[in-house]
Amino acid sequence: DGGITQSPKYLFRKEGQNVTLSCEQNLNHDAMYWYRQDPGQGLRLIYYSQIVNDFQKGDIAEGYSVSREKKESFPLTVTSAQKNPTAFYLCASTGVYTVNTEAFFGQGTRLTVV
Amino acid sequence: GIQVEQSPPDLILQEGANSTLRCNFSDSVNNLQWFHQNPWGQLINLFYIPSGTKQNGRLSATTVATERYSLLYISSSQTTDSGVYFCAAGNKLVFGAGTILRVKS
């Protein structure tokens, strides 16, 4: 099946620990995105990448880091510098050099930091 | 960067009623999408509609790119239509704040 997979679905961490969220796609999409959603709120862009080995900060990049070593993978690390890391994290991918740039999302990771 | 605004923020309907959700965007875009977020948080693709009109069952959407807005029509609403509707646009896939729809039986 073609799609975008996020893992794990639920994640619990102690305050002060770094944690890495996985996002993998087999849609052959060039661009990948990470969003954060707080309860009752919209989606805010953390980082995005339009090509391997390159990525750009979104609106709320502080306290987060990413890498894009492979086209299929765009992991997000939530560092201890992120003041309020508990949230719902969503990953998306789209084509870039294609006529159709429809975005598809993974099922999300709910991170709880205690 | 591009700004995306959605209206209304909240909408309560009686089952069977029709509704129109609006999405305004501040700059020309080559992509515009509508999503429905289900109670588990998953974003369901409704329409990819940079311009023109599309229909899928009881739902349809129209984007007037020259006037920088898009409309999502829901006809004969059902309780299962409840949830949050988002539009997103632009190369950075900027999201609006969403419309919370509640359909009462």
Side-chain angles (χ1 to χ4, degrees):
Chain A
D1 268 7
I4 183 164
T5 302
Q6 290 185 243
S7 61
K9 195 171 181 178
Y10 298 94
L11 191 54
F12 296 87
R13 279 294 182 268
K14 290 185 178 180
E15 194 171 341
Q17 291 181 334
N18 291 357
V19 60
T20 298
L21 282 58
S22 171
C23 180
E24 304 275 335
Q25 55 97 2
N26 61 5
L27 299 168
N28 199 32
H29 282 167
D30 293 293
M32 297 186 73
Y33 308 77
W34 274 106
Y35 294 88
R36 169 182 173 139
Q37 187 177 32
D38 293 289
Q41 304 297 313
L43 277 71
R44 293 184 290 169
L45 182 64
I46 305 172
Y47 269 100
Y48 67 104
S49 167
Q50 295 195 321
I51 196 168
V52 174
N53 292 323
D54 187 50
F55 46 83
Q56 310 295 328
K57 291 182 179 180
D59 300 320
I60 57 165
E62 185 176 350
Y64 300 97
S65 66
V66 294
S67 63
R68 187 86 188 276
E69 296 177 1
K70 298 186 301 181
K71 187 176 184 178
E72 302 79 19
S73 178
F74 193 40
L76 173 74
T77 297
V78 185
T79 74
S80 57
Q82 169 51 235
K83 294 179 181 178
N84 297 297
T86 294
F88 185 48
Y89 291 88
L90 285 156
C91 178
S93 71
T94 71
V96 174
Y97 308 105
T98 56
V99 174
N100 186 324
T101 57
E102 183 175 5
F104 293 89
F105 278 81
Q107 293 195 323
T109 294
R110 293 194 184 276
L111 173 64
T112 302
V113 176
V114 296
Chain B
I2 187 172
Q3 305 292 320
V4 178
E5 294 182 351
Q6 291 186 243
S7 60
D10 290 278
L11 189 56
I12 300 174
L13 298 175
Q14 198 64 38
E15 197 169 27
N18 302 330
S19 63
T20 301
L21 283 57
R22 187 177 179 105
C23 174
N24 292 333
F25 42 96
S26 61
D27 205 350
S28 300
V29 296
N30 60 1
N31 62 338
L32 189 292
Q33 284 189 246
W34 284 96
F35 299 90
H36 177 213
Q37 189 166 39
N38 66 21
W40 297 271
Q42 188 173 3
L43 283 169
I44 309 298
N45 288 33
L46 297 178
F47 294 101
Y48 170 76
I49 186 164
S51 64
T53 298
K54 290 186 178 179
Q55 180 157 8
N56 184 4
R58 296 181 296 102
L59 272 60
S60 64
T62 295
T63 297
V64 184
T66 53
E67 297 187 22
R68 301 178 185 170
Y69 73 88
S70 183
L71 302 173
L72 177 68
Y73 305 97
I74 304 174
S75 65
S76 304
S77 59
Q78 300 176 358
T79 55
T80 52
D81 293 331
S82 296
V84 187
Y85 290 80
F86 289 105
C87 69
N91 293 336
K92 290 170 63 174
L93 204 57
V94 176
F95 275 73
T99 293
I100 301 172
L101 175 64
R102 300 179 181 89
V103 181
K104 295 184 173 182
S105 59

